[in-house]
Amino acid sequence: MCGIVGIVAKTYVNQTIFDALTVLQHRGQDAAGMVTCEGNRFFLRKDNGLVNEVFRTRHMKRLEGNMGIGHVRYPTAGSSSSAEAQPFYVNSPYGIALAHNGNLTNTEQLADEIFRSDLRHINTTSDSEVLLNIFAHELQALGKLRPSAEDIFKAVKRVHERCQGGYAVVAIITGYGIVAFRDPCGIRPLVYGKRETEAGIEYMVASESVALDTSGFILERDLEPGEAIFIDTHGQVFTQSCAEKTKLAPCLFEYVYLARPDSIIDGISVHEARMEMGVKLAEKVKRVMPDHDIDVIIPIPDTSRTAALEMANSLGVKFREGFIKNRYIGRTFIMPGQTQRKKSVRQKLNPIQAEFKDKVVMLVDDSIVRGTTSKQIVQMAREAGARKVYFASAAPEVRYPNVYGIDMPAASELVAHGRTAEEIGKYIGCDWMLYQDLDDLKASVSKYNPGITEFDTCVFDGLYVTGTVSPSYLRRLEERRNDGAKTAGDSDHAGDNESADLLSRIE
């Protein structure tokens, strides 16, 4: 879960990239970076921290040029190193900088190929650097002094042939333009748009449409699975499908939790999809407990608010804000270490006692991952005087790890792994546990784009849409993602550390 942006404009792009990264900050709060291009020179700034912490006035003044790319990285397991901040850069061929959202599932194989066949050195454990070197090698192999759009698309085609997983990529080629592409399953989102200025038309590619909106760009469309777009320095736009086998199977968790509600992804309004999730939850309540005794529905801020409100409206039950959120605490399910997570929940939320006292309360959250937050929230509701505490999740049980760019816990640390809904309810301490059905979740999203018939639902059903995820890969993932490994600092970057063991052997 990272955010990317790329712009080709008629004037300096540093401020526009800064603004875009700021509205994509929900996709990553760990590190930020930007590369701009002026003539044949790159200007780079990246570091750990929020966007407004990484880019000070002195840095912005040095980020010259009319095209550039940016990246925000989310907090990942273990200690964080600024060496893993993106974009990454290679000087051959031409000079290429790249940023990426997602994860490659064959990083170990690729890192070996890069070292032994491509004769390239990988300096970090990031799969983003691996992806950059694959792209750079394939572009260099064409042997062109001045690459055309067709040459760039040929290189992207080879990237698709070699790389497995989910990824959305934006790259800048010194003096030529910006290229962006999406994996053949369209798992991770990527859109592009344009705006008209007195100097001419400018273009932006980004993870979410909200980045376009806030800077005055008009959304053109989503990139199709396997499609690449190249925008040269003169503002000419070229697009081409670069993968032989494609299917649109976007990540369902984007609509549940990751994306901003004011974004449109693959033609679907995230806000409207979340409203429908609330309606579906209400319908399930009517089926399972038609004579319910719910007095009030209270959302766990912020993502679940939309679903909770529609659930309350559909049931004819009062909707109330019962928790005050401290907005300066990060998302807890991706924080390293159980102790830190437990501490952060009490810092993040505080109940309003008047909304709980002597009431049967239905708490609504977007999803339940570890159960750490949910368990403490239920306890807070009881301490605030609730007579009964029910708990509803707008998403089904999260039982399996994500391998396409969301650094979720190891499977054994997911509260739903190996438990029934009733057992989960008992674990978190609620009187009734209600989960969304997977078919209802799919229907909530596809209602607004019936053309999408398949989603990446791996965290719910363990089905990996790329068809390339092996049991041995999942076992290695389990070893790296458990809290013991994180405490030891074994995982130190965005995405999965498949290349870490290989690098230690090579070096």
Side-chain angles (χ1 to χ4, degrees), residues 289 292-298 317-318 355-363 381 385-391 431-432:
M289 190 187 285
H292 69 82
D293 55 350
I294 302 169
D295 294 318
V296 61
I297 291 179
I298 293 177
V317 174
K318 290 181 181 179
E355 298 298 348
F356 292 90
K357 188 171 178 58
D358 300 325
K359 295 176 183 177
V360 177
V361 177
M362 170 63 85
L363 302 177
R387 188 158 50 90
K388 291 182 184 177
V389 181
Y390 301 154
F391 206 107
D431 298 291
W432 180 35

Side-chain angles (χ1 to χ4, degrees), residues 400-428:
Y400 304 94
N402 184 285
V403 302
Y404 300 127
I406 308 172
D407 192 22
M408 282 185 171
S412 60
E413 294 170 351
L414 298 169
V415 68
H417 190 74
R419 287 190 176 100
T420 65
E422 292 74 17
E423 289 170 338
I424 297 165
K426 184 177 180 180
Y427 174 82
I428 69 172

Side-chain angles (χ1 to χ4, degrees), residues 160-202:
H160 288 321
E161 291 171 353
R162 296 179 66 178
C163 296
Q164 299 170 6
Y167 49 89
V169 176
V170 62
I172 182 169
I173 305 174
T174 318
Y176 291 97
I178 283 178
V179 59
F181 52 93
R182 195 176 180 190
D183 69 81
C185 291
I187 298 171
R188 300 265 70 88
L190 193 61
V191 300
Y192 83 94
K194 66 181 181 180
R195 68 180 178 186
E196 295 185 10
T197 68
E198 292 182 359
I201 298 177
E202 302 177 333

